[in-house]
Amino acid sequence: MKKHRQRGSVTLRKRPSRAQGQGKTEDMSEHEHSYTMEQTSRLLGISAQKLRRWDEQGILGALRTEGGHRRYPREVIDRLVQANGGAFAEKTSRELASVKKTLAEKRRIIQLLIESEGRYRDLVETSHDLIWQTDAEGRFTYLNAAAHEIFGLAPKDLIGRCFFNFETNGAHVPNRRFLSTLRRGGEVQNHVTHLTTARGEDRWIGINARITRDESGQMLGIRGTARDVTEQHLAIRRAEHVALHDALTDLPNRSALQRQVEVALQSGQPGAIVMIDMDHFKRVNASFGHGAGDQLVLGLAGVLRSVARDRHGELFRIGEDQFALHLPDARREEAQAAAAIALAAVQNYRLESSHNRVISSITASIGVALHPLHGDNWAGLLAAMDAATHQAKDQGRNRVTLFNPASDALRASHRRTHWSRLIAEALDQDEIALYVQPAVQLRTGVSVHQEIFLRIRDEDGQWAEARQFIGTAESMGYAPALDQRVLTRVLTHIHEQGSRQLQRYSINLSAASISDRAWVGEFVEIMRESGVSGERMVFELSEKAAMENIDATASFIDQLRPLGSRFALDDFGTGFSSFYYLKRFEVDYLKINASFTQDLHENSESRVFMKAVNGLARDLKRQVVAKGVENAETLKLLKEAGTLYAQGRFLQPVSRLGEDVARRRSRGAQRA
């Protein structure tokens, strides 16, 4: 009898019988050295069914008798029983249970991994973002389904290709810079590149990328994500275009000119700026209307753009009636020649307005400044071309003037630059002070309204009066921002005072502000949302500002009048044409310029004028306020002329807003 081991099991095999007579003896011998299935089951504590299964699985093999019965080697069974102390079944069950538990845990983990991989694949394949991977050479080895939308090709058709296969010409340099940064830092985020899809469509793609490396640090490839940011990119470009271009002509604006010139200055590139300032442009608006003015600007923009193109330059619109021509690499003679051509183009332009009226004889004052000769920074160059343009105006207009460092215009330009900087700082830091002076009723001494005076700090830190900087504020475009800041400050002050005082306040507004429809709309909205009654406000417009834009002045008054606000025509009498236009303006007060009040005692014409204005005001149901009352004699003459209201240092000096309230309370307490 031979013993065979199969996978740790023992199987008994019958030897072939040599003679029939010996078979019974051998069977008896085998029975002595083996157990039946029942005996084995009892000894091991295992069911017969399990023994059969183990036999089939080769775990515990059995000998088969001629009758087909299973028998188990006694030696093997005894050894198993002895080795396990009779607890073979229990131990085996524990081991099997442990194995079963381990297998179940492994199956659970495998199932979780399968589910996780399924979720991952679902997320990756259904993601709108492109998920990609490349080899060390940058060739795609994997892309998800979003590749079709971005490149216009299926993922399988992109394997072996790379991003640069689709780049536009302009994206070449930034893409190489992107690769250099990626290799140096190992990661790049939010890189935007310009691609052309297989369908020929422009796409701007935002890319995030990270290098993958092996254990030794060698680069294996790149993986990352990408997203179509075309819509956002174009929106940003549109916003930048709006910020850097004039709304009417679509020409680049002052900010765009500044950027271009600063780049040229940083690179040391020489060039010239030709500033073209239309002469008497406001007269066109007043005579023909703003529609005709806009048409004139558009027409001039067209002819000047042609001049710029022919001279290899670029045209900018830098103000309502101002253009600038930037000529890179131009020298003195070239710049002056271009300026002369521009002047002739303006002179020869004709515009036919409505009703077949022709606007002709348009002229311009043109100033030329060279960089870096006349300025090695934007502020200095701006002052130079501004000074040259003003010098052309001072010399009679309709001419070209090259910047002269010794001119009076330069000194004036320096003053404008100086105050422009201080105004910008005051707005940025909100360092603005408001002072007040009352206009009083001469009979009772009661305040009619408190006129607001704006002040900002000068270079010595002192509060400078508006007359020192308001001209610069208007010419440099700061006036609307200052006017709005004053309004909000006054409204805040009224809220803080509450019902403790019902004082009316008078605010001066610039012509630039009331001529801007968008600004007026925002101004009206601020008033409505403030919760302050319009009756608490008086808005003053200078006679000059009102005359410059009669329609805008009338429109402004019409929009604010329903809120209960009152209006004053300031510096009345400095232009006698104002008498004619009084019927156009629904103003409540005529504020007489101080030049008429301060010489009443020695100038009979001023006294005649004062009486005439008072008589006219009574007939038109207007109220006259005489400004600049400095002494008792002037006050007496005003009363004799029939003046009802006045203001000046003799009546009450200017004081800081808020201090005037405290002073009035103090006087009230003293009287009590």
Side-chain angles (χ1 to χ4, degrees):
M1 184 173 58
K2 293 183 179 180
K3 298 179 182 178
H4 299 276
R5 296 184 179 273
Q6 297 179 359
R7 293 184 295 177
S9 64
V10 178
T11 304
L12 300 180
R13 301 294 182 187
K14 284 179 60 178
R15 295 178 182 174
S17 60
R18 296 180 182 176
Q20 188 69 30
Q22 296 177 342
K24 187 175 182 179
T25 304
E26 289 181 359
D27 286 344
M28 290 296 293
S29 177
E30 287 179 0
H31 290 169
E32 291 176 0
H33 296 287
S34 65
Y35 290 119
T36 65
M37 180 178 288
E38 290 76 8
Q39 291 172 326
T40 302
S41 175
R42 185 173 61 256
L43 288 170
L44 294 179
I46 298 173
S47 67
Q49 183 180 2
K50 183 174 289 189
L51 284 174
R52 291 189 188 94
R53 189 164 61 250
W54 282 8
D55 183 25
E56 293 169 357
Q57 295 173 348
I59 297 174
L60 185 60
L63 174 69
R64 295 296 183 92
T65 66
E66 290 182 356
H69 300 291
R70 288 181 174 87
R71 295 192 68 86
Y72 293 87
R74 183 184 294 270
E75 180 183 355
V76 173
I77 300 305
D78 289 346
R79 191 163 61 246
L80 289 173
V81 171
Q82 187 177 13
N84 291 279
F88 178 81
E90 182 181 350
K91 182 176 181 182
T92 302
S93 297
R94 288 199 304 269
E95 291 176 351
L96 289 174
S98 176
V99 170
K100 184 183 295 184
K101 183 178 180 181
T102 301
L103 290 174
E105 181 66 19
K106 288 182 178 178
R107 282 196 297 271
R108 188 182 69 84
I109 292 173
I110 291 171
Q111 183 61 33
L112 289 174
L113 289 173
I114 292 172
E115 292 175 358
S116 176
E117 182 180 3
R119 285 194 300 269
Y120 167 76
R121 288 192 177 278
D122 287 343
L123 290 172
V124 168
E125 292 304 325
T126 60
S127 173
H128 292 293
D129 288 351
L130 172 66
I131 299 173
W132 54 272
Q133 184 171 310
T134 75
D135 58 18
E137 300 300 321
R139 296 183 293 258
F140 290 127
T141 58
Y142 170 80
L143 304 97
N144 68 343
H148 190 277
E149 180 63 28
I150 288 181
F151 295 105
L153 293 173
K156 63 183 180 61
D157 298 325
L158 290 163
I159 301 301
R161 305 180 75 172
C162 65
F163 279 110
F164 297 156
N165 293 139
F166 299 88
E167 70 181 0
T168 59
N169 292 333
H172 178 79
V173 173
N175 282 345
R176 296 306 182 271
R177 193 179 300 121
F178 160 74
L179 273 182
S180 175
T181 304
L182 181 61
R183 290 195 175 99
R184 186 171 57 253
E187 183 175 1
V188 172
Q189 294 186 348
N190 302 320
H191 171 71
V192 177
T193 186
H194 186 191
L195 304 180
T196 302
T197 70
R199 297 186 292 264
E201 301 165 331
D202 278 344
R203 288 281 187 274
W204 278 265
I205 307 300
I207 302 176
N208 297 320
R210 178 180 294 174
I211 289 178
T212 59
R213 304 182 186 277
D214 61 18
E215 294 179 354
S216 64
Q218 294 298 312
M219 179 176 171
L220 293 175
I222 309 169
R223 65 166 63 114
T225 61
R227 174 176 294 185
D228 186 343
V229 295
T230 302
E231 187 175 341
Q232 300 94 309
H233 181 79
L234 293 178
I236 292 171
R237 289 183 62 177
R238 284 194 294 270
E240 289 178 345
H241 183 88
V242 169
L244 295 174
H245 286 75
D246 172 56
L248 177 62
T249 63
D250 201 38
L251 288 171
N253 59 17
R254 180 186 290 263
S255 298
L257 174 63
Q258 179 177 347
R259 287 189 182 187
Q260 189 175 110
V261 170
E262 286 178 342
V263 169
L265 290 171
Q266 289 172 4
S267 65
Q269 180 189 31
I273 301 178
V274 176
M275 185 172 177
I276 306 163
D277 193 323
M278 299 299 120
D279 294 329
H280 307 299
F281 179 77
K282 290 182 173 59
R283 291 182 183 176
V284 175
N285 285 333
S287 302
F288 298 91
H290 279 276
D294 289 346
Q295 289 301 313
L296 176 61
V297 169
L298 286 168
L300 290 172
V303 298
L304 292 174
R305 190 185 277 114
S306 297
V307 173
R309 185 169 53 249
D310 293 342
R311 310 300 293 192
H312 307 292
E314 186 171 3
L315 183 67
F316 301 78
R317 188 186 183 200
I318 61 174
E320 181 185 14
D321 54 359
Q322 291 179 328
F323 296 91
L325 178 61
H326 184 219
L327 302 169
D329 297 320
R331 298 300 193 270
R332 183 193 307 266
E333 294 78 10
E334 297 171 298
Q336 289 180 301
I341 294 172
L343 181 63
V346 173
Q347 291 172 336
N348 295 328
Y349 183 74
R350 298 291 183 272
L351 173 66
E352 183 176 324
S353 66
S354 59
H355 309 298
N356 297 322
R357 299 175 68 185
V358 177
I359 302 174
S360 60
S361 302
I362 305 298
T363 62
S365 298
I366 299 180
V368 179
L370 307 175
H371 63 77
L373 177 63
H374 295 149
D376 58 2
N377 58 65
W378 168 250
L381 196 59
L382 179 64
M385 71 175 186
D386 196 37
T389 305
H390 279 83
Q391 188 174 1
K393 288 184 178 294
D394 293 343
Q395 292 174 355
R397 305 177 188 269
N398 193 28
R399 66 189 63 239
V400 174
T401 302
L402 182 68
F403 172 67
N404 178 4
S407 68
D408 291 337
L410 176 61
R411 285 187 285 274
S413 180
H414 284 166
R415 285 195 299 273
R416 284 191 294 274
T417 302
H418 166 77
W419 281 112
S420 178
R421 176 178 59 82
L422 293 178
I423 294 169
E425 290 176 356
L427 286 169
D428 289 341
Q429 301 169 13
D430 198 26
E431 198 165 17
I432 292 172
L434 300 184
Y435 284 72
V436 294
Q437 186 180 55
V440 302
Q441 188 178 46
L442 297 183
R443 182 175 58 83
T444 63
V446 175
S447 171
V448 179
H449 59 251
Q450 297 275 338
E451 182 175 355
I452 298 292
F453 298 100
L454 168 67
R455 295 185 182 180
I456 66 172
R457 290 196 184 277
D458 60 18
E459 58 186 3
D460 297 324
Q462 303 300 313
W463 291 113
E465 296 182 18
R467 58 182 175 81
Q468 297 177 255
F469 61 83
I470 199 63
T472 299
E474 291 177 342
S475 64
M476 301 299 287
Y478 291 113
L482 290 172
D483 288 348
Q484 192 176 96
R485 192 71 58 88
V486 170
L487 174 67
T488 55
R489 282 281 193 90
V490 172
L491 293 174
T492 299
H493 174 75
I494 292 174
H495 272 295
E496 290 173 351
Q497 295 302 312
S499 60
R500 289 178 292 179
Q501 59 133 338
L502 297 176
Q503 184 65 56
R504 182 181 289 121
Y505 292 94
S506 180
I507 298 176
N508 291 275
L509 299 177
S510 70
S513 296
I514 64 172
S515 298
D516 186 337
R517 295 178 183 176
W519 184 92
V520 172
E522 188 174 352
F523 188 87
V524 173
E525 193 65 23
I526 291 173
M527 282 292 299
R528 286 175 176 163
E529 293 181 353
S530 69
V532 174
S533 171
E535 296 180 356
R536 303 283 298 277
M537 309 300 297
V538 178
F539 297 113
E540 296 192 19
L541 308 170
S542 71
E543 182 185 37
K544 178 176 178 293
M547 293 306 108
E548 284 182 354
N549 200 331
I550 297 169
D551 292 336
T553 302
S555 175
F556 176 76
I557 293 174
D558 290 342
Q559 291 185 65
L560 272 295
R561 177 69 71 182
L563 301 181
S565 300
R566 299 190 181 189
F567 302 89
L569 197 58
D570 196 17
D571 292 331
F572 187 80
T574 53
F576 283 95
S577 61
S578 57
F579 284 101
Y580 172 77
Y581 289 110
L582 267 182
K583 61 182 180 181
R584 290 287 310 274
F585 303 140
E586 294 292 329
V587 297
D588 302 277
Y589 303 101
L590 304 179
K591 305 194 80 169
I592 307 301
N593 188 274
S595 62
F596 291 99
T597 61
Q598 291 173 350
D599 67 347
L600 282 177
H601 62 286
E602 60 185 20
N603 191 325
S604 59
E605 293 180 354
S606 293
R607 292 194 291 273
V608 170
F609 171 79
M610 191 64 68
K611 288 181 180 180
V613 170
N614 277 290
L616 177 65
R618 281 192 298 271
D619 293 340
L620 295 177
K621 296 182 173 54
R622 308 288 199 267
Q623 298 177 4
V624 173
V625 179
K627 298 169 62 176
V629 179
E630 303 290 333
N631 50 59
E633 183 178 4
T634 299
L635 183 61
K636 177 176 177 293
L637 292 172
L638 286 172
K639 290 179 178 180
E640 292 176 353
T643 307
L644 300 179
Y645 306 97
Q647 69 182 81
R649 284 186 297 177
F650 180 74
L651 296 169
Q652 187 169 315
V654 174
S655 61
R656 187 78 175 263
L657 180 64
E659 295 175 358
D660 63 308
V661 177
R663 185 182 297 110
R664 287 198 302 274
R665 288 177 186 167
S666 176
R667 286 201 301 268
Q670 292 173 0
R671 286 195 295 269

